[in-house]
Amino acid sequence: MTGRSPASRSVGAVARWLGGATILGVIVWRLGTGPFLHGLRAVDGRSFAVAAGIGFVTTVCAAWRWRLVARGLGVDLPLRTATAAYYRSQFLNTVLPGGVLGDVDRAVRHGSEVGNVGRGLRAVAWERSAGQFVQLVLGLMVLLLLPSWVPTWLPLVVAAAVVGALGGGLLLRGRPPRGGSRGARAFRIAASDIRDGLLARHKGPGIALASVVVVTGHVATLLLAARTAGAISPAVELLPLAMLVLLASAVPTNIGGWGPREGAAAWAFGAAGLGAAQGVATATVYGLLSLAALSPAALLLAAAWLRRLRRPAEPRAPQEFAKSGPDLVPIAARSEGGACG
C-alpha cells in the first residue's frame, strides 16, 4: 500500500470514480431518472428508524470483529473506541469515492495510537477480508439452496473463490515459506496473522459469528429497502437478489457507494422478472437507508471537529537542528524517514 506513488494512487482513484460514474450514466441513459426519484420519494421515517437500529447492531458486531483480530495481532482496542471508529469509517466509505478511504483512515489512526501503523493496517485488512469471506460463503449457500434464476456457473465461480481463499489461507498457515526475501517475510507475517488473528481457537468463532450477524443485518436492510420501494415478491425470492447486490456493493468502483450496486440491482431484478427499474429504486432506497444507519457517525465527526476548534494552540518549541553536509536538517524530520510499519 505504501509502495505506490501518489500519482498512481490518484490515477487509481480517478479510474474507480469514472467506473462508478459510467455505470450510473448507463442506467440513466437506459431507464431515465424515474427509478432514482421513486426511491427518493419512497423512504419514510419508519424505514429510517428501522435501518438505524439494524445499523447499530451491525456496527457493534463489526467493531467487535475488528477488536478480536487486532488483539490477535497483539494490539489492544477497546470495544467502545472500535465502535466509534467503525461508524466513522463506514460513513467516510459511503460519502467518499472508492469505498475504502474510511477503512484506510481507521487503520492509520488506530496504528498511530498503538505506535505501529503497519500492524494497524494489517488488522483492518484482515478484519475486512474475514467479513468478505463470510459474505461469500453465505452468498454461495443462498444461491445453491434457494430456487432462483441465477445461472449455474455463477455459484460455481463463487464456490471456486471460497475454496481458493480457504485453501490458500490454510496452506499459508501450515507451511509459511522460508527465506530472507521480502516476499518470504511478507508471507510469514501473513501466516502469523492468519494463525493468531483469524483462526485462533479463542478468536475464530467470534469473528465468524460477528461476520454472520453483519451480513444478516445488511441483507435485512436491503430487504427493507425492497419493500419500501414497492417490491411485493416473497422474501425467499428476494434473498438471492439481495446477496448478489451486496456482493456487487463490495466492488471499490463507486461514487460515494453508488455505481456497481445500482448496476447489479438493475441486472438482477431485471433477470428475475421484477424489472430493472424496481432494482434501481431498491438500490436507491438501500443507499439512503445505509446513510441513515450511519447517522451517528456525522455526530462523531462534528464533535471531533468542535474539539479541534476549541483546543488551544500549543506553544511551538524551539526546533533542534543537526548539521548534515552543507545544510542544517531538523533532527525530527530526518528521523521520520522509515517510520512505516
Side-chain angles (χ1 to χ4, degrees):
M1 184 178 293
T2 57
R4 297 176 60 192
S5 66
S8 64
R9 287 196 294 268
S10 299
V11 171
V14 171
R16 290 192 294 269
W17 189 91
L18 288 176
T22 301
I23 294 173
L24 292 176
V26 171
I27 292 174
V28 172
W29 171 55
R30 296 295 301 271
L31 302 176
T33 59
F36 295 97
L37 297 177
H38 173 66
L40 290 173
R41 290 191 294 263
V43 292
D44 53 19
R46 175 182 170 277
S47 58
F48 275 142
V50 174
I54 297 174
F56 174 76
V57 175
T58 58
T59 301
V60 171
C61 288
W64 179 45
R65 179 179 64 198
W66 179 28
R67 181 173 185 262
L68 290 174
V69 174
R71 294 183 68 182
L73 269 58
V75 290
D76 190 30
L77 181 61
L79 182 59
R80 182 175 179 179
T81 302
T83 301
Y86 221 104
Y87 262 119
R88 173 191 173 95
S89 70
Q90 289 182 112
F91 183 79
L92 295 177
N93 282 344
T94 302
V95 301
L96 296 178
V100 296
L101 296 180
D103 291 320
V104 174
D105 174 78
R106 170 165 60 99
V108 172
R109 284 175 177 269
H110 178 231
S112 300
E113 290 171 359
V114 300
N116 194 322
V117 175
R119 194 164 292 185
L121 289 168
R122 281 160 34 212
V124 170
W126 286 119
E127 176 263 324
R128 287 303 304 269
S129 298
Q132 294 297 328
F133 178 78
V134 172
Q135 181 170 305
L136 276 174
V137 172
L138 293 178
L140 177 62
M141 293 174 60
V142 168
L143 294 178
L144 289 177
L145 297 178
L146 294 182
S148 70
W149 56 271
V150 176
T152 306
W153 59 265
L154 188 56
L156 295 178
V157 170
V158 177
V162 170
V163 172
L166 182 59
L170 292 176
L171 181 63
L172 189 61
R173 176 180 180 269
R175 298 186 61 183
R178 299 178 180 179
S181 65
R182 179 179 298 180
R185 290 196 301 270
F187 275 110
R188 284 197 296 271
I189 291 174
S192 176
D193 290 348
I194 292 173
R195 181 180 61 251
D196 301 329
L198 296 180
L199 300 182
R201 183 178 303 177
H202 54 292
K203 293 183 176 64
I207 293 171
L209 175 61
S211 300
V212 169
V213 175
V214 170
V215 175
T216 303
H218 292 326
V219 171
T221 303
L222 210 151
L223 293 178
L224 173 65
R227 289 285 184 255
T228 304
I232 59 175
S233 300
V236 70
E237 295 181 10
L238 293 174
L239 192 55
L241 309 182
M243 296 304 302
L244 288 174
V245 174
L246 289 178
L247 291 174
S249 300
V251 178
T253 305
N254 56 64
I255 306 173
W258 301 79
R261 179 182 63 211
E262 285 68 33
W267 169 68
F269 277 70
L274 303 179
Q278 179 68 69
V280 174
T282 297
T284 302
V285 174
Y286 179 77
L288 297 175
L289 295 183
S290 298
L291 279 175
L294 300 177
S295 54
L299 300 178
L300 293 172
L301 291 171
W305 180 68
L306 290 175
R307 283 196 299 269
R308 285 195 299 269
L309 288 180
R310 295 174 180 174
R311 185 179 303 165
E314 298 181 0
R316 301 180 63 182
Q319 196 157 25
E320 186 179 359
F321 288 85
K323 191 168 183 179
S324 176
D327 301 320
L328 293 176
V329 181
I331 290 178
R334 289 190 292 114
S335 65
E336 293 173 357
C340 182

